[in-house]
Amino acid sequence: MPRWGMVIDLNTCTGCGECAAACKIENNVAIVGPEESDMGRTMLWMDMLTEYEGEYPDVKIRYIPRPCLHCDDPPCTRVCPVRATYLNDEGIVAQIFPQCIGCRYCMAACPYTVKSFNWYRPEWPDTMESALNPDVSARPAGVVEKCTFCIHRLQKAKEQAAAENRDLRDGDYIPACAEACPTKAITFGDFEDPKTEVSRLRRTARAFRLLEELGTEPKVYYLYEVE
Amino acid sequence: MNGNEIAAKDDALFRSIEYTGKNFYYAVGIFVTVIAFAAFLYLGQIISGLGVTGMAQPVSWGFYIVNFVFFIGISHAGTLISAILRLSKAEWRRPITRMAEVITAIVLAIGGLHPILDLGQPGRIWHLATSGRLQSPLLWDVTSITAYFAASTVYLFLPLIPDIAILRDRGTKPRWLYQFLSWGWQGTPKQHKVLDRTINILMIGVIPIAVSVHTVISYIFAMTVQPGWHSTIFGPYFVVGAIFSGIAALLIVMIVFRRVYHLENYLKEIHFSYLSILLLIMSLLWFYFTFCEYLTTHYGNEPDEMRVFFYKFSGDFAPYFWAMIVCNFIIPVAILSNKKTRKIKGILFASFTVLIGMWLERLIIVVPSLANPRLGYPTGIYIPSITEWALFAGGIAVFMLGFLLFAKFFPLISVWEIQEGRASSIKEVAHRLRSYLPDELEEDDIKKALH
Amino acid sequence: MSSKTIKFLQYASIAWIWIFVLSVDIWIISLLIVARRLHDAINASVGIGIIAIPLFLLIASALTYVFFGLQKHREVDETRHGSL
Ligand code: SF4
Ligand code: SF4
């Protein structure tokens, strides 16, 4: 069984936000109006965190792209009363939209605050309605959603590989954010296989994980910037 | 003895049932209006989604969860206090227990429904039945609240049976209701024995259930790893807070209904004085727990915890936090520790501040932890919407309406227990006293002491 | 309402309480099975089950005991209006 994971190089990341935009389009993430946005109801499966380090005037700003970290011991799935979110065999933390009752307990329990909730029925401007990705199911109002590592792409890659009668190769399955990044800062692949690029990168000395001390074992690694 | 004779003396207790004034209809009208308004707004929430509330990311829980914890807390007044007073054979419990138990049953039903108000997809609630998972603290809640509700309604009903029989024998209408509910009670000694035995078993059983309910509610928060929530003290802290707010609610209800139904003969100053001392003790206990909770956080000085801590102490939530300390500790202690102010009016005031303070406490537990996520997000804001306020008011109105309707059909003070008290408690207490004392007391000495 | 109907209603309500309690217990048991199938934290589930299942039975038994106890210890004088 593969264990899918991601490595994001903060040295090459410029904070342009291309990944977040690509994610929104790929996954039919709803676009909320400015008022709602001000209230804090923006929906972003891939968010851009801004961390300030040091004291003025010596501040360093750091941009950190943040998908769901797909924890190997996820606090969010443990609390779900109906198993609408669970860790699947390949290490992806999935959401089952038709199962979710919308209690938002998983949102409260996620230490990384990555989940979004459909406060209203998701809506898009008319011009976009026709451009929705048919591979990703639409969400009703009142359910929680978050990054799925573009799990529909895994499905497609598997079908493709089966059609060509071969195993899945490194690079066959890449989420939209990794594909869109202009500086190739996001690497994606199988952690189980030591020969993949991600496995190599996550073993380098620059690798770290967010809030590692919580023991959630996230499968998204970051690489420190080099001075 | 015939029901009519025994009850004649306590006619005042039946007045609310047998006589319906205009004010009753006015009150019902007001409460029904408030409830209808709340129901209307709730309908809007179902149709358009939870967006009509003030919740957002990261503050994804708001009033509904706050009120859930608050209402369930109040429900601890009842059964727990009544069970403890019964268990400790406190004679002054007799006119109090019934009201306490009624509060529990009604408020528990209201509180228990609050998480449903909070659901984004309330129509899918049956998923809990088909694929619920017992490892989620929410399911622990569902189970323990159901158990507590079942136990406390039974615990309310059983001591009600002899009173229902009195009503039946008085021929109060609707007769069929009282015939149906009185279960053939005739007050024979053997029937008394059966009833007493069962009440005794239940009163012991209901205490651990009550404690477990609020412990488990605190676990919703404590089982996560979020700063400000992940604390071992939460279980007992919530239980203490629950009993604290419960006693305050009980005192308010007692004072109000004493006034409305002219029960001054039954609920005397002494009852309020005793209960308010209990309130005072709980206030001190509550402060002790609060102190422990925040001192450990502060001394540990963990950055994420400290962010939530300062958010409460000097940040956006400081006004609420300090108001809570004033309402829960400073005012009640000042009023209740002084014999001169420990009068009905003072007690009423202190009880109100305690209720407000405890509600603030629930708010302060739920919101600040959510508003201050660990990673570099902006601090969350939460401004409750009109829907949330309306549903809060609706919840309170349901409680008052429920209580009023109960008082319309059943006596608010346990008639038979009062009568039993008249008939036998002096002897019993004298007997008990004799067993405490070091030397044998003669029958004459007791008589002399009584006069 | 005739005393027969009322008697019937009383028995029906006792039956209803048992139906309620048993369905809660069956629900908890089914959740235990779900927990096993999904490899959930089984100890938490079993812990709750062990306490909750007998508890509900106890509550229903208490009520039933009182009901039949009161019925049995009546003075047999069906003409008195207090006989129900
Ligand atoms: S990052 Fe949050 S949502 Fe994602 S798996 Fe971990 S706990 Fe769950
Ligand atoms: S909001 Fe949905 S996915 Fe999250 S815990 Fe509740 S039911 Fe589960």
Side-chain angles (χ1 to χ4, degrees):
Chain A
M1 271 299 157
R3 284 206 95 65
W4 302 106
M6 186 182 268
V7 178
I8 301 176
D9 190 344
L10 298 180
N11 197 37
T12 33
C13 172
T14 58
C16 68
E18 197 65 41
C19 49
C23 168
K24 257 193 116 113
I25 293 168
E26 172 78 15
N27 290 296
N28 302 338
V29 181
I31 295 170
V32 302
E35 265 170 51
E36 292 287 295
S37 217
D38 284 348
M39 277 182 79
R41 289 177 178 172
T42 325
M43 294 205 151
L44 286 170
W45 285 14
M46 172 65 111
D47 200 350
M48 192 62 74
L49 293 180
T50 344
E51 302 255 347
Y52 300 92
E53 252 171 47
E55 301 263 313
Y56 180 83
D58 207 10
V59 232
K60 208 169 84 194
I61 300 180
R62 206 199 222 176
Y63 297 105
I64 305 183
R66 184 242 64 207
C68 166
L69 308 178
H70 294 270
C71 309
D72 246 2
D73 193 355
C76 61
T77 63
R78 219 173 318 163
V79 299
C80 178
V82 293
R83 198 173 191 256
T85 175
Y86 69 105
L87 182 70
N88 80 4
D89 293 340
E90 307 195 4
I92 295 178
V93 177
Q95 292 281 142
I96 313 172
F97 305 124
Q99 174 73 5
C100 174
I101 59 174
C103 64
R104 308 191 295 300
Y105 197 179
C106 54
M107 291 176 81
C110 168
Y112 305 94
T113 332
V114 314
K115 298 201 165 191
S116 335
F117 186 72
N118 286 284
W119 299 100
Y120 290 111
R121 209 171 62 81
E123 271 172 25
W124 297 268
D126 283 344
T127 45
M128 277 185 68
E129 198 88 44
S130 53
L132 291 184
N133 185 352
D135 293 335
V136 180
S137 56
R139 274 83 66 182
V143 300
V144 161
E145 58 181 57
K146 67 162 187 71
C147 154
T148 61
F149 269 173
C150 292
I151 198 168
H152 54 283
R153 289 188 172 215
L154 172 60
Q155 204 56 40
K156 275 196 160 171
K158 274 185 182 160
E159 279 162 21
Q160 180 78 24
E164 291 168 15
N165 226 337
R166 59 174 172 84
D167 285 338
L168 218 54
R169 281 188 302 246
D170 190 23
D172 273 356
Y173 162 38
I174 295 282
C177 52
E179 195 178 72
C181 177
T183 59
K184 297 273 164 279
I186 305 179
T187 324
F188 187 84
D190 181 7
F191 278 175
E192 204 79 317
D193 179 356
K195 289 190 292 292
T196 56
E197 181 68 2
V198 270
S199 298
R200 189 185 66 76
L201 284 175
R202 76 160 172 154
R203 283 193 305 264
T204 59
R206 279 163 64 209
F208 75 101
R209 293 184 286 182
L210 291 176
L211 305 180
E212 206 157 1
E213 67 277 11
L214 294 180
T216 51
E217 303 290 329
K219 285 196 292 293
V220 172
Y221 283 70
Y222 293 89
L223 302 179
Y224 277 118
E225 350 19 7
V226 274
E227 296 297 323
Chain B
M1 241 193 306
N2 187 297
N4 292 335
E5 295 162 30
I6 10 171
K9 209 167 175 183
D10 292 314
D11 257 349
L13 297 181
F14 297 103
R15 244 182 78 85
S16 67
I17 304 167
E18 289 162 357
Y19 169 78
T20 317
K22 246 197 234 134
N23 289 340
F24 175 78
Y25 293 107
Y26 289 148
V28 170
I30 293 172
F31 297 144
V32 169
T33 320
V34 175
I35 295 167
F37 181 62
F40 174 70
L41 287 183
Y42 178 59
L43 202 69
Q45 175 185 316
I46 288 186
I47 291 169
S48 49
L50 275 173
V52 298
T53 66
M55 294 183 275
Q57 283 114 231
V59 186
S60 49
W61 275 345
F63 263 31
Y64 299 145
I65 297 292
V66 172
N67 291 342
F68 163 60
V69 183
F70 175 69
F71 279 125
I72 302 274
I74 296 216
S75 79
H76 275 59
T79 307
L80 200 56
I81 292 172
S82 124
I84 290 171
L85 292 185
R86 276 218 175 94
L87 201 60
S88 58
K89 296 213 179 79
E91 276 302 325
W92 54 278
R93 71 166 194 271
R94 292 180 189 274
I96 297 175
T97 49
R98 173 75 47 79
M99 287 199 205
E101 290 152 15
V102 180
I103 295 182
T104 297
I106 300 175
V107 181
L108 196 56
I110 299 169
L113 291 178
H114 263 77
I116 299 178
L117 301 181
D118 187 59
L119 291 188
Q121 287 278 349
R124 292 183 185 166
I125 188 82
W126 53 271
H127 286 186
L128 285 182
T130 52
S131 52
R133 304 164 85 208
L134 280 178
Q135 70 165 351
S136 163
L138 275 185
L139 258 286
W140 308 352
D141 274 4
V142 175
T143 346
S144 69
I145 290 177
T146 320
Y148 188 39
F149 185 70
S152 58
T153 31
V154 172
Y155 187 63
L156 166 68
F157 174 64
L158 291 185
L160 198 59
I161 293 178
D163 279 2
I164 297 175
I166 297 177
L167 283 166
R168 175 198 62 198
D169 294 346
R170 281 168 76 101
T172 312
K173 279 186 179 106
R175 278 232 16 228
W176 64 269
L177 179 74
Y178 299 119
Q179 282 177 329
F180 166 58
L181 286 178
S182 60
W183 282 9
W185 176 267
Q186 291 170 332
T188 65
K190 276 196 172 149
Q191 286 187 327
H192 266 295
K193 214 165 165 191
V194 169
L195 195 69
D196 283 348
R197 191 182 291 155
T198 321
I199 292 179
N200 284 342
I201 293 174
L202 271 176
M203 121 189 129
I204 294 166
V206 102
I207 294 175
I209 302 179
V211 170
S212 80
V213 170
H214 229 75
T215 310
V216 165
I217 285 179
S218 81
Y219 285 173
I220 294 190
F221 307 102
M223 290 296 143
T224 67
V225 290
Q226 307 299 42
W229 284 358
H230 190 52
S231 154
T232 52
I233 210 178
F234 258 40
Y237 187 28
F238 271 50
V239 173
V240 164
I243 302 174
F244 185 35
S245 61
I247 298 176
L250 176 60
L251 276 166
I252 293 176
V253 165
M254 278 168 59
I255 294 173
V256 169
F257 281 86
R258 168 184 179 208
R259 209 29 216 287
V260 174
Y261 292 131
H262 307 290
L263 302 174
E264 284 83 357
N265 259 338
Y266 296 89
L267 297 169
K268 300 190 173 160
E269 293 261 351
I270 185 94
H271 295 110
F272 294 98
S273 171
Y274 279 1
L275 259 185
S276 66
I277 287 175
L278 214 53
L279 189 70
L280 176 63
I281 295 170
M282 294 315 291
S283 173
L284 297 170
L285 205 55
W286 174 87
F287 185 76
Y288 166 66
F289 270 97
T290 312
F291 175 76
C292 291
E293 166 76 8
Y294 288 99
L295 183 68
T296 358
T297 310
H298 186 257
Y299 204 86
N301 203 19
E302 211 254 308
D304 290 323
E305 295 273 357
M306 283 318 279
R307 207 136 44 89
V308 178
F309 180 89
F310 281 122
Y311 187 75
K312 297 177 184 177
F313 257 64
S314 49
D316 289 0
F317 260 58
Y320 307 128
F321 183 85
W322 295 110
M324 165 184 91
I325 299 284
V326 171
C327 285
N328 273 351
F329 183 63
I330 295 177
I331 294 180
V333 169
I335 290 183
L336 300 179
S337 57
N338 186 343
K339 218 170 172 185
K340 275 205 205 83
T341 44
R342 205 169 58 228
K343 293 269 147 37
I344 305 261
K345 276 210 186 92
I347 294 172
L348 185 66
F349 181 70
S351 303
F352 265 115
T353 62
V354 168
L355 274 194
I356 295 170
M358 278 314 295
W359 184 82
L360 284 174
E361 195 223 79
R362 306 320 192 187
L363 184 76
I364 286 165
I365 284 173
V366 174
V367 175
S369 287
L370 288 170
N372 291 283
R374 290 182 197 255
L375 296 181
Y377 300 94
T379 307
I381 21 169
Y382 171 63
I383 301 160
S385 74
I386 178 97
T387 309
E388 288 168 289
W389 280 111
L391 284 178
F392 186 15
I396 296 171
V398 170
F399 166 67
M400 303 218 256
L401 184 65
F403 208 93
L404 212 58
L405 289 181
F406 183 91
K408 189 81 217 87
F409 289 103
F410 305 103
L412 273 183
I413 288 181
S414 181
V415 181
W416 70 279
E417 278 176 285
I418 295 270
Q419 285 163 352
E420 186 190 69
R422 265 198 210 107
S424 58
S425 72
I426 293 192
K427 225 200 279 155
E428 241 181 71
V429 173
H431 209 76
R432 224 189 298 156
L433 268 183
R434 201 158 2 153
S435 68
Y436 303 153
L437 292 176
D439 30 42
E440 286 291 317
L441 223 59
E442 293 303 320
E443 208 55 60
D444 292 342
D445 297 336
I446 296 173
K447 275 206 187 106
K448 228 184 282 161
L450 275 175
H451 291 294
Chain C
M1 224 177 270
S2 77
S3 59
K4 261 222 182 88
T5 342
I6 285 175
K7 237 214 169 110
F8 171 77
L9 282 179
Q10 284 172 342
Y11 281 103
S13 58
I14 293 289
W16 189 87
I17 285 157
W18 276 100
I19 291 172
F20 167 74
V21 163
L22 288 179
S23 48
V24 170
D25 279 351
I26 290 171
W27 174 64
I28 295 176
I29 291 168
S30 80
L31 291 191
L32 286 176
I33 296 169
V34 171
R36 227 187 72 138
R37 201 181 38 168
L38 300 179
H39 304 293
D40 279 352
I42 191 77
N43 38 6
S45 317
V46 171
I48 292 169
I50 288 178
I51 300 168
I53 294 173
L55 187 75
F56 281 101
L57 294 178
L58 178 83
I59 292 169
S61 320
L63 269 180
T64 319
Y65 168 70
V66 171
F67 180 68
F68 286 105
L70 296 192
Q71 299 296 321
K72 200 170 116 203
H73 297 302
R74 271 179 313 170
E75 286 152 9
V76 222
D77 176 10
E78 293 288 337
T79 52
R80 256 191 75 200
H81 63 229
S83 60
L84 268 174

